[in-house]
Structure formats: C-alpha cells, structure tokens
Amino acid sequence: QDNRISIWSAGDLGNAGLNGEYHGEPHLLCDIQHNGDVMDMQFLDQERIVVASSTGTVTIFRHHQNNQTLSANHRWEKAHYHVDQDTSCGGAACTGVVCNNPEIVTVGEDGRINLFRADQKDTVRTIDNADSSTLHAVTFLRTTEILTVNSIGQLKIWDLRQQRNEPSQIFSLAGDRVPLHCVDRHPNQQHIVATGGQDGMLSIWDIRQGTMPVSLLNAHEAEMWEVHFHPSDPDHLFTCSEDGSLWHWDTSTNVSEKPSFLHQGGRSTAYLSHSTINQSVVSAWLSNDPTKDRMEITNLIPNQTLSVNSLDVLGPCLVYGTDAEAIYVNRQLFA
Amino acid sequence: MDELDTEPPLVVVPGADSSSRQLCFAWGPAEVLVCETLFSRAGGSRSRYLSRSPCLSRFWGEGRAGAAVRALTDSVAGTEDGAPSSSRVFVVRRDQDIYIQTLRKLFNESHGIFMGLQRSEEELAGKSRKAQLVQVSKNYRSVIRACMEDMHQAAVSTRDPALQGLYSTQVSILSAMELIWNLCEILFVEAATAGPLLLRLLDWVRLHVCDVDSMVREVLNSESPSKHKLFWNVVDVFVLQGRMDEARHLLSKEASANPTSMNMYKILDDLMKKMPVPSVCKNNTQTLTELELKWQHWHEECQRYLQDGTFASNPHMESICKILLGDEDAILEKKELMTTWYHFLVTRLLYSHPTVKPMELRFYAQSSMDLFLGGESSPEPLDMILMAAFEFEIHQVIKECSIVLSNWWFVAHLTDLLDHCKLLQSHNLYFGSNMREFLLLEYASGLFSHHSLWQLGVDYFDHCPEYGRVYLELHIERIPLSTEQKALKVLRICEQRQMHEQVRSICKIMAMKALRNNRLGSALSWSIRAKDAAFATLISDRFLKDYCERGCFSDLDLIDNLGPSMLLSDRLTFLGKYREFHRLYGEKRFPEAARLLLTLMTAHIAPCSFWMTLLTDALPLLEQKEVIFSAEQTYELMRCLEDLTAGNPDKQKIQDDDIETTKVEMLRLALARNLARVIVKEGTVEGS
C-alpha cells in the first residue's frame, strides 16, 4: 500500500475571474509517504500537522513553505496498541486526534486516551482502558476537558486536570446503543455538542442538563463520518456520510424577525430570564422543534455515488473527500 | 468466445524451473500460487514450456479468452539458491495494471461514468437517447485522454528508467485504446450515416495521426515557410487530411513569394475552395444525391485542368491535383506523411467516395490496408482490431481487444456502452450469461484484489443481473479488514444488499478479534450489530468469569449502560441485572436488591453455575440488623440452596471441600436465623 500525506494549493485569491469564480484546479504542492491508513489529521499550527495512523502511530509532519516539502517532525510509535506494546502486531488503529497547541489528544480502537505535548518526546499522560469499546472521535470541550464518543453510543467528558482515570460524566442515547462516530462542539456556546451515529442520526446535546440528547435528527441513510459546526458562523452545520451525501444544516434566521426563543415555552424561556443583556438569541440548535424554526437542510452533492469520508469548512470554503479518490473544493459556500 | 481458438499466452514464471521439476499450483480468489515440488519431471521430453507441464495445463484449458497473466514473483519463504528442496512460493497475479498509480484515476472516473449510464433514463428514445450515449462515450474518451496526460507527465518526470518504460508503454496503450474507442463511437454508438460519416472519420484521423505535428509546427513557425525544405510536405499533409483552408493559406505564402506560379496557384486555390464536402449542419438541406452531383462536376473540372497540363511545370502542385482527383498512386507516394493505412483509407474516401456508406467501408478498408502495407509488413493486432471495426464485426473487435489488452477495463466498459446501444442482444456465451455480464464480472473481480479499488467493484457486480450477487458474496468476505472503519464499510454494503450470511460472518470475525484483544465493549457492539445472541452470551460469560476471579466488574461503563441491548441474550440480561443488584446494594436500597436477587434465581435467568455466588451475595443481606427477606422469600432461598446442594455425587465431592461446606453451613444458619426473625416479625401484631 502506498499512502501519502499531500498538501494542495486550492487556488490563489488573486486569480478570481469576473464573477469572482476561481478557475484554477487544486494542484499538488508536496507529499510524503505515510505508513498505514490516515485515520484522522489536524493542523497543529501554521506549519505542523498531526496525523493519526491505522498502525497506532501518531506523527507530526512539518510543512516547509519555503521549499514546499514535508518532513516527519516527530513520531509516537505504537501510541495505540492491543494487549502488549512490545508484540509486533499489536498495533491498534488510532481513530481520532485533536489539537490545542501545544497539546495533542488521541484516541483509538484500543479504548485508550493519550495526551501528548508537541515539544515533549514522551507521552504526557495515558488513560489506559478509558473505554471498553472503540473510541471513535475526540474533541476539546474546554482547555482542560475533552469529549469522546465510542461504539456503544456513549458521549463522555474527561477532566484532564484530575488524576483519576474515570470520565467525569457519561451521556448516552436512549434506546438502542448505536455507535457514535463523530463529535463537534459549538464554537461559541460550549454546552452545545453535536454527534453523528452509525445509523446516520444527528444528535444535539446540551451537556449542562440531562444525560440524553436534546434533539435527534434523522439525517443520513448510513454512517455519519464527520460533523462540523462552521467555526465563524455556527448557525451552520455540515455532516457527511457513507451514503455519499454531504448535508448543510442552516438554522440562521432573518435578523428582522423575532428571535425564535419567544415562540417556545419551558426550558429556554426560563434560561433567558437569567441571561445577561449581551447574550443573544438562544441557539436554534437547542430548540425543541427544528421544523418550526425553519432549519434548512441541503444536500451539497448532486450525483452521489461513493462515501464522503471527511470534510472541513473555513470561511466560505468547504472541502470534502470521497471514496472515489476525489477531493472537492467549494469556495463559494454562502453565495 | 465459444471455443479457444488461439493458444493461450505462455507465462514463464521467472525462477520456477519447470524443465527439471514439476510445479504445483493452487487457485486463490484473485491469484495463483505456484511452487516447485520435489518431484522431478517424469522421464521423456525435457519440455521447457510451461503450458505442457501436467499440472498447469489444466488451468489453461478453460474457455476463457486468455488475458495476459503477469507473473509477480515474491519469494515468500525459503532459500534463495536452487537447492533440490528449494521452497519458494510464487504469486502469479493477473491484472497487475490495477496497481499502477496513475491508472487509478481512470478506474475511478470511469466508475462514475458507468454508474451515471446505468442510472440514466431509459425512456428517452431516438435522437435524445443517442445523443446521451454519444456524450457518455465522449466522457469515457476524455477520461482516457486525461489519464494519458498524467501518464505522460509521470513518464517525463520520473528518473527510474524501468518506470519510465512502463509509463511510456502505458501511454501508447492508452492512445491505442482511445483510437479504437473513437472509431467505435463513430461507427457503432453514433452510427454515422453516409455524409457525416466521412467528416467524423476525418476528425478521427486528424486527432490521432500526430506524428506529423512537430513538422507542421516547425514549418509554420519558421521565418519564411515557403522556403523551408519541408514546406511541400506540410502542404501535402494538410491536403491529405482534408484541411483545405490551412493548405490554401500556406499556398498563398508560396504564391506571394513566387509570382511566376501565380496563375497555377489561383487555379489550384480555386479548386480547393470549391471542393464539395458533406455537411453536418442540420439546416443544410443538401441531400446525398445533390452532393454527389456537385462532386462529380468538381471532379471533372479537376480532371480537365490536369489533362490540360496546367500544373505541368510544378510537380508539387501536380501531385496535389492528382491527390484531389483521388489517384491512388499519387496518394500512396505520400506514405510516410500518412504513416498508417487507415489514414490512407480516409484520404482515399475523401477524394474518391465522399458519400461512402457505412456498409461499404469494409471493402475500402481491406483494399487500403493491402495497398498500404503492400506485402512488406503484416498487420499488427491494432490493425486487425480496426479492420474488424470497419467490417462492423463488433464481437470480433471485443474479442481481439480482450486478447491483446492486459486489463479488462477497456472491453468491459465498451461492451457495456454498446449493450446500452442495443447492439449486442443476440450473442450468448455457452455458460449462460451474456458477453457484457461476463466482461463486467471479470473486470470487477480484478478490482477486488486491490486493497481499496474493491469499492468500485461492488457497483459493477450490482449491475450484473445473473451472477453479480454470487460473485459479490464470495468476494466481499475476503476483503482484509484491517481497521474497524473498513469493516463498517463492508458491513454497510452487505446490509444494503440483504446479505445476512456475510453480515453475520463479518461481525463474528470482528467480535472475535475484539475479544482476543480484551475489548469486551467492542465485541459486544459487533454482536449487537449482527444480532448475534450466541456471541453476546459468550461475552457475558467472560464478564462473569472476570467477576468471579477478581471480585469486581471490569468495564462498568459498558455494563451499566446496556440499555435495550440487554435483551439480546439471557446471559447478557443476567449480567445487567446482576450489576443492578450490586448498584442497589451500594445505594443501600436493600429490599429492592433482595427482591432482584431472588428474581434472578427463581426466574432462572441466572446460570446454575452462578447460584452459589448469588447465594453468597445474599449472605450480607441476611445478616443485616433489620429483616429484609420476607418469609416467602426466605423459603425460596432455602429451596434454592437445597436444589443446589442436592444432586450428583460430583457435587458431594465439592461439598467435601472445606470452604464450600463452610459456606453452605453459614448460609443454612443465616437462612434459619432470618426465617426465625421474620416469622416473629410477621406474626407480631403491629399496634392496634
């Protein structure tokens, strides 16, 4: 197998045509060989990328922008392993990685959580057997707390300041324990968390209250691989799935209309009475009835065939990759 | 392909000495394992050919058009030198092409086009359907061209000479494929009629005969083209390809440089301008007969000028005029400029039969090839394929392509397209499925041996109505499941097609793997997905065993949160309830705990082996200050204890063990005491 990490340039801003459309195709800048499947990756800072491998190794690559090359900066071999670290075939896939410079947290099929620091050679902390099933994804809740999802449908909060190897809170779905594959936190309102499940269901959780999700939205027909809130415009959510579709969830309401919370009763109004004047509208994500609040859902892929494995969104740009070995870049998301 | 009418291609497995040892082999799903045995060749002919080896001759006997099998030698084990008992295993794999990096784009993109074609509307009839099919064909061709570009880039940029050779070969193969496909598109998909047929063929030739391009460029870019030594060659090229405007443009340069020939030039220019050509334009109402008439007139005019000796002083212009008249000898003189017999064919047709009908092509094609090659060289496979196409022998085309090409990609997609054009209805292969399905099955099977292109193969199998499902079932179980994500993808494919057997088997494999790695939660989640009660029981037994050994539960996060999945198996339910009992006990909710404990035993949810443990768990409850168990419950407990201790001699032996006897005695004592207390308590009248 020949797997590579590649860096592509998706076109300069200066090449915009008359309509503001970009005419250049993404072209390859540099690439480097990678051992094992790339399960997850994230930029640590402007130059460094952390990559999680199916062999259980976590690697930091550095992108040298002056001569457009990639080099492996640091590697933690066998960060994830089954049973015994020293046996040769004991590697377990590392399924998720999240960075908050300089901290790196990884999770894997061995149910282990690893905490690294970019400048330190050794592992800072390992939580062995954090979970009896596979951990599929991890994300930061606060600087010292992380969220993980696993294959028995549980969302767990871990407090990294505490030394005990137990989650501080466990949430789970009602009904069938469908495995959860991805998790993302609302950029501004840290109590809102979205997860995607194996049955394609999107769940929105309010982690301040209860152990069950606030809303369950029937979305895709197969596993939802990734869910992302838009970092600067969190009324927009993106999900991609094995069934080959990529959905854009839009809960942004018009400014001129009344804020949606006035139409609801119960919890939300009670909350509002304690809020400060600066606090804006209660997020539409927590509303009880998404249909009433005009959530627009669009499938961004016209001819779907194979699975969309991964997506990312920044500003007006959306990029996603499919099993048909193609990467698509959409630079005018909100046009 | 009813019978094997050609010898299968020989494959020499480098390193396997078939002359001195007998070889043995074993079929795999996509590969053949070959190894040398200890048996020397039976006496007699020291044959050096692989195909005569007694073992291997069997697998060439199948009635399949032999695709070229490339041998890939992997020394899997054993010594290097040829010791008598050398133990090397060779992996012979077909479809080595799928491992070429640059061809992956071809496979992926063509998969998208294929799916689009299968899903396209069948209701569109007539012209719009044909236009749609032509568009699909053009898409395929543009993918081939894009791949050719990439391959060319790769060939230029690589420094490894072996790779460079490989890429260059691939470029020429791809270009040949595009040539054939283009011709098939013109003749079969578009089914161009007389008139437009010639124009299409001209385009085809212009696109594909590009050996002369560099020469053309050189002349055009030079300072004074008319002085260039190759000037007339370029003019001839333009005339031979029917590019009249460009030819006239160049000639005008010559005329301005050479005023003496101005008269000749004017006449020639005029002739070239007036040449009637078929038009594709729909608005043009010119019929074939009109065209023929016009052409006849024009032809006679050219004839007159030639016979008058107008061009006698300039041999170049004279030969051009002869070409315009369709003089075969004159055209043949320019062999090097045409380079191929099909170019000759098209030029001939242009200048002698511009209104040629599709069915007449075969005669001209045969004679063109004979004239062009002239007995000096024999036709190559490519020539035979093109000839078959001109003869409208579609099956022959496909058969020849299958034999020559090393990969099923081309024939599979082309046949599928032609099938959609309803051109392949009649032909059935003797083992039942039709040609399209056979080729698609072969192609998709080849894809399955690749570690990631197998996903494309799934869709191809889906569109093979007769055997696709069976093939898919067999192949999908053999995909190596290196990560959970891959297993999930495979599972999703199986579930979508209701392949329950495969779902169960894959989930079992993953669950066993997880169990071996001590990931009990993962194992449980896999057995839930497969609804595998037996496995859930296995996992619960593991948990219970752990508990017995260690006195506490591992993986509490799993057991505490089983939810409805608890009902998958009795043992699992017991596990969940047992844990609940412990929780209740921990929360000091004793009456509920007691009730639960009793239910576990009386409702037979607990396995018999566990009863002792349960009873021992009941001990602290019996010893509590306040009475927890009611009389009824105590009787029940006693009954359970008696059930347990009464019984086989084996149990007697266990009872001889001190600890066991002590336990039983303690229990009996505790139960008796509890009974006493509870009788008193229940018998007491509480106040008034």
Side-chain angles (χ1 to χ4, degrees), chain B residues 227 253-262 314:
Chain B
K227 297 280 180 284
K253 289 203 165 68
E254 150 77 3
S256 50
N258 203 348
T260 50
S261 54
M262 184 59 82
N314 191 327

Side-chain angles (χ1 to χ4, degrees), chain B residues 324-588:
Chain B
L324 290 181
L325 283 171
D327 184 340
E328 281 170 16
D329 297 320
I331 302 175
L332 267 178
E333 270 175 35
K334 313 288 175 188
K335 233 174 156 176
E336 290 83 41
L337 295 177
M338 290 189 292
T339 66
T340 58
W341 63 271
Y342 38 94
H343 189 327
F344 174 55
L345 164 69
V346 175
T347 309
R348 245 181 101 197
L349 290 172
L350 174 64
Y351 293 116
S352 50
H353 308 96
T355 55
V356 63
K357 296 193 185 49
M359 286 305 148
E360 294 169 354
L361 276 177
R362 64 183 67 208
F363 310 115
Y364 296 115
Q366 190 61 55
S367 57
S368 300
M369 185 159 84
D370 294 336
L371 281 172
F372 193 88
L373 295 176
E376 290 166 0
S377 45
S378 55
E380 294 188 352
L382 177 62
D383 299 327
M384 299 313 297
I385 296 170
L386 293 172
M387 180 60 69
F390 283 121
E391 291 174 353
F392 280 79
E393 297 276 346
I394 299 182
H395 296 116
Q396 188 68 22
V397 171
I398 295 171
K399 182 169 155 189
E400 300 269 347
C401 288
S402 312
I403 294 174
V404 165
L405 292 169
S406 61
N407 184 287
W408 294 105
W409 179 87
F410 180 76
V411 281
H413 288 88
L414 181 63
T415 312
D416 175 65
L417 179 62
L418 294 176
D419 188 69
H420 274 89
C421 300
K422 307 256 189 292
L423 291 168
L424 287 177
Q425 302 294 53
S426 52
H427 195 103
N428 271 327
L429 294 173
Y430 66 86
F431 54 83
S433 64
N434 63 26
M435 170 138 58
R436 167 187 171 272
E437 177 154 329
F438 170 75
L439 293 172
L440 283 177
L441 289 172
E442 289 294 316
Y443 172 62
S445 304
L447 284 177
F448 261 89
S449 59
H450 192 272
H451 59 86
S452 104
L453 288 175
W454 58 269
Q455 283 183 294
L456 307 176
V458 173
D459 283 323
Y460 285 103
F461 280 139
D462 279 344
H463 288 102
C464 293
E466 235 177 285
Y467 291 117
R469 193 186 162 88
V470 177
Y471 269 70
L472 183 60
E473 283 174 6
L474 290 174
H475 272 108
I476 206 140
E477 277 191 320
R478 285 167 177 77
I479 297 172
L481 303 171
S482 45
T483 63
E484 287 201 355
Q485 192 169 13
K486 203 164 172 186
L488 286 172
K489 283 181 188 276
V490 174
L491 268 180
R492 182 60 60 181
I493 289 170
C494 292
E495 279 176 2
Q496 279 171 346
R497 290 156 183 77
Q498 273 94 45
M499 293 183 179
H500 301 299
E501 271 303 314
Q502 281 69 28
V503 169
R504 257 199 300 274
S505 116
I506 290 169
C507 283
K508 254 208 185 73
I509 294 171
M510 295 307 291
M512 268 321 282
K513 251 200 245 181
L515 207 57
R516 230 178 284 136
N517 288 323
N518 222 20
R519 311 258 85 241
L520 294 174
S522 292
L524 187 64
S525 108
W526 287 110
S527 42
I528 289 174
R529 176 111 184 228
K531 300 198 191 2
D532 191 345
F535 214 89
T537 309
L538 196 78
I539 296 169
S540 323
D541 279 338
R542 264 287 275 274
F543 272 116
L544 292 170
K545 201 171 71 137
D546 278 350
Y547 170 76
C548 286
E549 284 170 12
R550 283 190 278 157
C552 66
F553 283 108
S554 59
D555 305 319
L556 277 176
D557 62 337
L558 170 65
I559 308 174
D560 277 341
N561 292 294
L562 282 173
S565 56
M566 214 193 311
L567 300 170
L568 186 61
S569 117
D570 281 345
R571 197 60 52 83
L572 200 56
T573 318
F574 167 67
L575 182 66
K577 293 283 174 202
Y578 188 51
R579 168 66 198 148
E580 201 181 321
F581 162 74
H582 278 269
R583 247 211 340 262
L584 288 171
Y585 188 89
E587 292 169 11
K588 302 218 190 304

Side-chain angles (χ1 to χ4, degrees), chain A residues 256-278:
Chain A
S256 55
E257 292 181 10
K258 277 195 184 145
S260 52
F261 63 80
L262 287 180
H263 295 297
Q264 311 165 91
R267 229 182 321 122
S268 307
T269 42
Y271 167 70
L272 194 63
S273 60
H274 299 303
S275 67
T276 65
I277 306 167
N278 292 336

